[in-house]
Amino acid sequence: MLAAIAAMASVFLLLSLVEGVGNQAEEARLQIEAIKTGLTVGAGTGGALALLLTARKRWLNERERLLQIRTSQVGTCTHLMPSSEERTRRAIDELFGGEEEA
């Protein structure tokens, strides 16, 4: 859509600049060149947009892959995490200065 708008705008701009230049043959030749240039602008804009979308898709796929790796790492390390009782005991030890032996 954006490429079509860019092409149309550039064609109309270039055609407006061509009006009244030289004789009819020269003006017709310049009009054809203006149309070709405008379509080239549209094609270039479309190519740039396709490149941006491809780069964005690749970046999102890479982020998703990294998230899957991290998720799998967390899943494999859960046995290393302390239980809730162990966390509670550590918190109490930190609050009251550690274990006191009687």
Side-chain angles (χ1 to χ4, degrees):
M1 180 72 176
L2 185 61
I5 293 171
M8 286 178 25
S10 61
V11 166
F12 286 125
L13 175 71
L14 291 171
L15 285 176
S16 69
L17 294 174
V18 168
E19 287 181 21
V21 176
N23 58 16
Q24 267 188 333
E26 182 69 19
E27 190 172 334
R29 188 185 66 76
L30 290 175
Q31 286 175 346
I32 291 171
E33 288 297 319
I35 291 170
K36 287 188 335 188
T37 303
L39 293 175
T40 302
V41 168
T45 304
L49 290 174
L51 182 64
L52 285 174
L53 289 175
T54 303
R56 180 178 178 267
K57 182 179 179 182
R58 184 178 176 111
W59 180 76
L60 289 174
N61 285 338
E62 185 67 21
R63 298 278 298 173
E64 182 180 356
R65 189 182 67 79
L66 289 174
L67 180 62
Q68 288 174 349
I69 290 172
R70 288 183 187 149
T71 305
S72 68
Q73 288 173 346
V74 168
T76 59
C77 296
T78 53
H79 68 283
L80 300 174
M81 295 176 60
S83 65
S84 62
E85 291 136 7
E86 180 67 23
R87 288 193 304 266
T88 304
R89 186 186 61 76
R90 286 183 186 174
I92 291 172
D93 288 346
E94 287 178 16
L95 284 175
F96 295 108
E99 295 181 21
E100 293 188 23
E101 297 185 20

